[in-house]
Amino acid sequence: ASAPTLSGVPADVTVTCDNIPAVATPSASDVCDSTPAITFAETSTKGTDPDQASFYNYEITRTWTATDA
């Protein structure tokens, strides 16, 4: 058995200011399951204090996972 394959997942990007791209909507395919489930999770290292560098320089991690039956 092989795992599902995701397509349409964006590459890593570096952006400035508020040019954060919209969340992509990838698709998944699988040999045995015609409709694998896709889940999405997002985390951010953005700080809450505007006086700290982490408020302006941070990383957003977006993770998509495809699961077949």
Side-chain angles (χ1 to χ4, degrees):
S2 57
T5 303
L6 279 167
S7 58
V9 176
D12 291 349
V13 294
T14 299
V15 298
T16 56
C17 299
D18 290 328
N19 296 322
I20 299 169
V23 175
T25 52
S27 59
S29 60
D30 185 69
V31 174
C32 298
D33 185 348
S34 62
T35 56
I38 299 174
T39 56
F40 170 74
E42 179 176 277
T43 59
S44 174
T45 61
K46 183 175 183 175
T48 57
D49 184 349
D51 293 329
Q52 300 295 315
S54 65
F55 187 80
Y56 302 99
N57 297 311
Y58 57 94
E59 186 173 294
I60 296 172
T61 302
R62 295 174 171 169
T63 305
W64 293 266
T65 305
T67 307
D68 60 7

